[in-house]
Amino acid sequence: MSQKLSVGKSVIGALAVGVLVALAGCAPTPQSTPEPSAAPVTPTPDPYAGPIAFVGDELDWFLLSADEIAAMLPDVGEVSPAVSSLIQVSDGGGPEPVPAICSALAAETSLGSIGARSVTWTTTAEEGSDGWLHVLQFADEEAAKARMDQYVDAAAQCVEFEFGGPATFASSTAEGEGGIRALAGSLIITYSTGGGYSVYTSYVSVGNVIVEVWQPFTGEPAFDTEAAAALLRDRAEEARRMLIDELTVNPPAPVETPAAADPAAPWSAWEITPAGVGPVHLGVDLDEAIAAVPGARIQESEWEGGPTRLIAADESASLLLETQEGGTLVSALTVGIANTAGDRADDAAALPSAEGVKVGDPVSAAVAAFPEGTDLRIVSSGEYFYEWSTREGVTLRFRLDRDSVGDDGAVITGITLEDATLRNPLIFG
């Protein structure tokens, strides 16, 4: 509280003032109180502005709940939990549509994907038929965009078309931030020889991901295509924002260049890394890759453009080199079984390893070393894989002797390293 002194004629008042002055003169000099130091200011990082590339469990951000699926589609029965696995038929064949681009609507969206999360459900309209939702990771933004371009073109050109008989595709589209595109429609195909099929099918793309929703139906379509496209667009926008937030706080680590491998060392000492297998690197010209292992025996392909095999000088191990279709850049490297002509029964102990995982190990070893991958089953060829990929589109596929879903003891029979960005896109029309 402040105090105000007044000047008067009173002697007492004057004496009081004198005493106060004297006391003030005798008082110690007050110490200054230090100013509190401001807390250091942490600069806010700029929002991540790099490639929109989802990987691993980030694919879960696109999933729809059972209630959302039932609200989106008619006749939805029991919805199963999401799984990190994919069943791919890859059988091809069938009549050629007119226009040719319409075949994109019948082909498997998962062809060319390198990772997936899947949800399946039964339908009440047709006994024994199932619907599914696939969140599909592709090598990069360019690969996913190229595939989505085909769906958009098909939607525009295939409202009415021929596919072994009259066919129709009635659809709606929606667009969102960051180049997001969504498409939902009802596809009805009637064969001239009798039969046919009808499916509700929807797609949305963002970055390196395409989400596919597919469900068969009977009778007339009862599908709100506008609402479906909007729902998928909105979920993709949420996932994109989540990825940007995550990579703003935790930016992707730069890709490390592994130490040069000794080509003269036993091949079992070589490491399988995202760059290559030992001294043999992905993305180099085939001649350069062969020259990286002097003394190896070269076994050329039996057909033009086929793989080349390098065999160790002591015949203990081999490495299969595949090149980009129509080119000479090395796109994939395999140790162990590759399911191709000339496969060898090499001793697993003599082969390179990936983070200590070798041919002959159980799939559980690969899952532990490379978590958040995808169990893949290819029906037409009877093949099983556990596949894992980097954000840059490099993929490790562990070939298995049987289905690994629910079986951690499935045995690794081959390991393939691939730069999936070197794949040629599928062409429809």
Side-chain angles (χ1 to χ4, degrees):
M1 179 181 295
S2 63
Q3 188 177 33
K4 185 176 181 181
L5 299 178
S6 61
V7 179
K9 296 180 181 180
S10 168
V11 175
I12 296 175
L15 290 173
V17 171
V19 171
L20 289 171
V21 171
L23 289 173
C26 296
T29 304
Q31 299 296 315
S32 61
T33 302
E35 293 289 331
S37 58
V41 177
T42 302
T44 302
D46 293 332
Y48 172 78
I52 300 299
F54 297 84
V55 66
D57 288 347
E58 293 164 359
L59 301 180
D60 292 344
W61 299 342
F62 291 89
L63 294 171
L64 300 177
S65 68
D67 289 343
E68 288 172 322
I69 292 169
M72 175 183 178
L73 293 161
D75 306 317
V76 172
E78 183 179 356
V79 180
S80 299
V83 292
S84 55
S85 64
L86 176 68
I87 296 176
Q88 197 174 76
V89 178
S90 308
D91 57 351
E96 288 294 325
V98 180
I101 188 63
C102 302
S103 60
L105 300 172
E108 286 181 272
T109 305
S110 63
L111 296 176
S113 63
I114 60 173
R117 298 294 182 269
S118 301
V119 176
T120 59
W121 57 89
T122 60
T123 63
T124 58
E126 184 178 351
E127 186 176 354
S129 63
D130 293 332
W132 66 64
L133 180 153
H134 290 155
V135 183
L136 300 167
Q137 174 192 347
F138 288 82
D140 52 19
E141 292 177 295
E142 183 179 348
K145 180 182 180 300
R147 181 66 66 84
M148 192 65 191
D149 286 344
Q150 294 168 339
Y151 293 129
V152 171
D153 290 345
Q157 299 180 45
C158 306
V159 176
E160 294 184 357
F161 64 104
E162 289 291 321
F163 196 64
T168 62
F169 184 59
S171 63
S172 299
T173 60
E175 296 184 355
E177 297 178 2
I180 292 172
R181 293 176 292 172
L183 167 67
S186 301
L187 175 65
I188 302 175
I189 295 174
T190 305
Y191 298 133
S192 57
T193 55
Y197 62 91
S198 302
V199 295
Y200 302 130
T201 182
S202 305
Y203 314 92
V204 65
S205 69
V206 56
N208 68 331
V209 163
I210 292 179
V211 179
E212 175 200 24
V213 180
W214 186 97
Q215 178 182 304
F217 70 93
T218 58
E220 293 298 316
F223 183 29
D224 187 339
T225 57
E226 290 186 4
L231 173 61
L232 292 176
R233 175 202 60 200
D234 293 347
R235 184 54 45 83
E237 286 184 337
E238 293 174 9
R240 179 177 177 272
R241 286 193 294 268
M242 291 173 69
L243 183 71
I244 291 173
D245 290 345
E246 169 64 23
L247 297 184
T248 297
V249 177
N250 301 300
V255 178
E256 296 183 2
T257 302
D262 181 3
W267 289 22
S268 60
W270 292 353
E271 289 288 332
I272 302 173
T273 73
V277 178
V280 184
H281 288 184
L282 291 172
V284 302
D285 193 82
L286 178 61
D287 289 341
E288 181 180 344
I290 292 172
V293 192
R297 181 163 66 86
I298 304 168
Q299 187 178 80
E300 296 183 350
S301 173
E302 298 177 3
W303 65 92
E304 185 178 356
T308 299
R309 189 180 297 275
L310 298 182
I311 302 173
D314 62 1
E315 297 286 329
S316 64
S318 65
L319 177 64
L320 193 72
L321 285 63
E322 297 178 71
T323 55
Q324 183 184 33
E325 184 179 354
T328 61
L329 296 182
V330 175
S331 60
L333 301 165
T334 299
V335 298
I337 299 300
N339 196 25
T340 189
D343 269 341
R344 291 164 41 104
D346 292 323
D347 180 4
L351 296 174
S353 60
E355 293 290 337
V357 181
K358 300 180 69 71
V359 169
D361 286 344
V363 68
S364 57
V367 174
F370 301 94
E372 302 185 15
T374 299
D375 296 296
L376 173 63
R377 173 190 175 193
I378 302 178
V379 175
S380 60
S381 58
E383 295 176 287
Y384 304 96
F385 299 94
Y386 175 74
E387 59 181 359
W388 175 92
S389 62
T390 71
R391 206 176 293 277
E392 293 74 31
V394 175
T395 301
L396 263 176
R397 286 196 306 280
F398 298 89
R399 178 180 295 276
L400 308 173
D401 66 342
R402 57 188 183 271
D403 194 352
S404 59
V405 175
D407 186 353
D408 290 341
V411 176
I412 299 169
T413 61
I415 304 174
T416 296
L417 177 74
E418 180 189 12
D419 183 349
T421 65
L422 295 178
R423 292 180 182 177
N424 291 353
L426 297 178
I427 297 175
F428 303 106

